[in-house]
Amino acid sequence: LQAEMPGDLSAASYAQNGAEIEALRLLDASDAETRLLHPGRHYRCQFNARLDRPASGLCGAFLIRSPGGAELAGARTLPIDFADAAMGVTVDLRFCCRLNPGVYQLDVALFAREGEMEFALHGIRNAIAFAVDGVADRQSLGAFDMYCQAAIVLSEAGATK
C-alpha cells in the first residue's frame, strides 16, 4: 500500500442532540474490521447509537470525503417512523467500493425530523480514515472508478471510421 493514512485529520464529534454514536466499524464481506478497501469488493459501515430522547424520522448516514474535505459519496437508511428514548439503534450501510486507490475519510451521523425539519442527533466527522488499494495502471481518473471501457484507434490520415 503506497498511500499513507493522514495523521492531521482527527475525528470531530458534533454536539450530541439526543443520541450518542458508538462502536463504529468498517467491515469487509466476512465481517472483519478493516481500514484497507479494494475496488469492486463489498463493505459495511456499521455503528450503534443510544437515544436520549424520542425521535421521529430516525435515519443513519455515512459520507466519504477526500482528505481535503470534498464530499465524494455516501448513503442513508430509510427513516424509521418513531423510536422511544433509551432505545438502542444499529445502523448498517452496505456498499460496493468504487473508489480509486487513495486515502479517504468516513463521516457518520444519526438524523431525526421535527415536522419538515431534519436535524442531527449526533455526528462524527473524520470518524475513520481508510485507504483503497489497487493497481496503479488503471484507466480511470479522479476519485471513482466508473468501469469505463476506453480505447484509442489509429487510422490513415484523412480516413475516418
Side-chain angles (χ1 to χ4, degrees):
L1 177 67
Q2 298 203 10
E4 292 185 22
M5 300 298 250
D8 60 342
L9 296 174
S10 57
S13 180
Y14 296 104
Q16 295 174 17
N17 189 25
E20 181 179 5
I21 294 173
E22 50 194 20
L24 171 61
R25 296 169 300 283
L26 190 55
L27 305 168
D28 65 17
S30 62
D31 287 336
E33 253 188 272
T34 187
R35 297 292 183 271
L36 180 61
L37 281 59
H38 302 277
R41 294 190 189 169
H42 294 269
Y43 297 92
R44 295 168 48 207
C45 171
Q46 187 180 76
F47 61 88
N48 297 332
R50 270 191 348 263
L51 294 178
D52 298 329
R53 63 188 260 185
S56 297
L58 183 69
C59 71
F62 80 105
L63 179 67
I64 296 172
R65 294 181 186 270
S66 70
E71 296 178 358
L72 300 176
R76 63 175 37 213
T77 65
L78 292 174
I80 294 174
D81 288 338
F82 182 79
D84 281 321
M87 292 192 78
V89 177
T90 299
V91 175
D92 190 48
L93 299 144
R94 297 167 186 259
F95 65 99
C96 181
C97 180
R98 300 283 189 227
L99 295 165
N100 278 324
V103 176
Y104 301 93
Q105 295 293 128
L106 183 74
D107 299 356
V108 294
L110 193 64
F111 295 99
R113 295 189 77 77
E114 283 186 8
E116 294 299 312
M117 187 177 87
E118 183 177 72
F119 63 96
L121 292 168
H122 190 210
I124 306 172
R125 184 168 177 160
N126 300 332
I128 292 179
F130 67 94
V132 176
D133 196 11
V135 181
D137 65 349
R138 299 174 67 103
Q139 291 178 296
S140 62
L141 302 172
F144 296 99
D145 187 343
M146 309 235 344
Y147 292 92
C148 293
Q149 293 182 346
I152 185 169
V153 178
L154 296 176
S155 61
E156 294 294 324
T160 59
K161 284 193 172 188

